[in-house]
């Protein structure tokens, strides 16, 4: 099973929007609506930001949104703020009780 | 509030064994699936293993299959990871995490422990 593919970096200025992609296959991202996104600040544990493609846990700002088209999922951060600077990881259920993570994207707020 | 606290990490020689524990509180432990996820120094997240709410389903990442065993004690609200035949490439921070669901179908990991470092080195 191969890791999901994310761009290594993304950036945007405060107030702008940025979208991070996560590409898999029809056996994982494209086959199930169980894509999640996690935010990780340096030295901290990951935090769930999006689950089941486009659902936000309680307490996550609505500036964060998720979507999926075919084998590619996306996380969009609107109205970028300084505290959004972090690493972001996508994850997908891949069948047979298996989970895949993406390689991570470092988001820089310029 | 939900808390997950890992313990049992440290430095171990290649080929030896180590057992990690994760003590949980603040939720009905027996109702949810649980995971171990690791992160090598300076690297990304890597899923390691999942166990369903009732212990009926266990699954492992390919590189640890046959060497690692995930288990849980619902009477003690504790998750375990038995790691045998450890290799230098197993060096990582190991996180336990709670699934939003109960089975082997992962619905998102909504709570994570603070992580515990395992270093495999001679």
């Amino acid at each position: 099973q191969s890791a999901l593919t994310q761009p290594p970096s993304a950036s945007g200025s405060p107030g702008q929007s940025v979208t991070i992609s996560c590409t898999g296959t029809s056996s994982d991202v494209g086959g199930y609506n169980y894509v999640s996104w996690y935010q990780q600040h340096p030295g901290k544990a990951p935090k769930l930001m999006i689950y089941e493609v486009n659902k936000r846990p309680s307490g996550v700002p609505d500036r964060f949104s998720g979507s999926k088209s075919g084998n590619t999922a996306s996380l969009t951060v609107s109205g970028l703020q300084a505290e959004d600077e972090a690493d972001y990881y996508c994850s997908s259920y891949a069948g047979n009780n298996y989970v895949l993570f993406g390689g991570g994207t470092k988001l820089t707020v310029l | 509030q939900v808390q997950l606290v890992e313990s049992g990490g440290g430095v171990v020689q290649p080929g030896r064994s180590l057992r990690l524990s994760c003590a949980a509180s603040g939720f009905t432990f027996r109702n949810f699936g649980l995971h171990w996820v690791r992160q090598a120094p300076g690297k990304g997240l890597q899923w390691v293993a999942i166990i369903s709410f009732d212990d009926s389903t266990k699954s492992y990442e390919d590189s640890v299959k046959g060497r690692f065993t995930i288990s849980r004690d619902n009477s003690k609200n504790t998750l375990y990871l038995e790691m045998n035949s450890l290799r230098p490439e197993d060096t990582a921070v190991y996180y336990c995490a709670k699934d939003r669901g109960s089975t082997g179908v992962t619905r998102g990991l909504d709570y994570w422990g603070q992580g515990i470092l395992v270093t495999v080195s001679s």
Side-chain angles (χ1 to χ4, degrees):
Chain A
Q1 306 253 18
S2 299
L4 307 176
T5 300
Q6 296 181 236
S9 63
S11 63
S13 299
Q16 288 187 330
S17 293
V18 63
T19 297
I20 299 170
S21 63
C22 171
T23 302
T25 71
S26 58
S27 297
D28 38 71
V29 173
Y32 305 93
N33 287 325
Y34 291 120
V35 176
S36 303
W37 289 90
Y38 301 89
Q39 177 191 66
Q40 187 180 34
H41 287 108
K44 300 295 187 181
K47 175 185 177 183
L48 179 66
M49 304 302 285
I50 297 288
Y51 66 95
E52 293 176 11
V53 177
N54 56 14
K55 298 177 182 176
R56 269 189 320 276
S58 170
V60 172
D62 60 6
R63 304 184 293 103
F64 291 85
S65 62
S67 63
K68 189 183 83 167
S69 178
N71 297 337
T72 298
S74 298
L75 172 72
T76 298
V77 186
S78 305
L80 269 175
Q81 299 182 5
E83 59 263 35
D84 299 333
E85 184 162 296
D87 293 326
Y88 290 84
Y89 295 90
C90 64
S91 175
S92 176
Y93 179 65
N96 295 317
N97 308 306
Y98 207 89
V99 179
L100 291 174
F101 276 94
T105 298
K106 182 176 181 61
L107 175 60
T108 300
V109 180
L110 301 170
Chain B
Q1 74 279 22
V2 173
Q3 277 198 309
L4 297 167
V5 180
E6 300 95 340
S7 61
V11 180
V12 61
Q13 293 180 328
R16 304 297 291 263
S17 299
L18 203 61
R19 187 174 87 153
L20 303 182
S21 299
C22 173
S25 60
F27 66 101
T28 306
F29 184 82
R30 63 180 180 274
N31 286 354
F32 294 95
L34 298 164
H35 299 253
W36 288 99
V37 177
R38 68 184 180 183
Q39 187 168 34
K43 301 297 184 183
L45 300 175
Q46 183 184 37
W47 174 75
V48 173
I50 183 175
I51 186 167
S52 62
F53 74 108
D54 60 356
D55 209 10
S56 64
T57 298
K58 300 178 185 181
S59 182
Y60 301 90
E61 193 274 332
D62 289 347
S63 70
V64 308
K65 207 172 293 184
R67 299 188 299 123
F68 289 11
T69 301
I70 189 172
S71 61
R72 64 191 295 162
D73 187 335
N74 285 347
S75 69
K76 296 182 178 178
N77 286 2
T78 303
L79 173 71
Y80 303 100
L81 185 67
E82 184 77 36
M83 303 184 292
N84 298 321
S85 303
L86 281 162
R87 305 167 179 168
E89 55 265 36
D90 295 319
T91 294
V93 172
Y94 284 74
Y95 294 98
C96 63
K98 170 190 168 293
D99 201 307
R100 294 189 63 259
S102 59
T103 67
V105 178
T106 301
R107 298 181 59 197
L109 280 58
D110 56 355
Y111 291 95
W112 296 63
Q114 82 286 355
I116 190 92
L117 179 61
V118 172
T119 302
V120 184
S121 173
S122 53

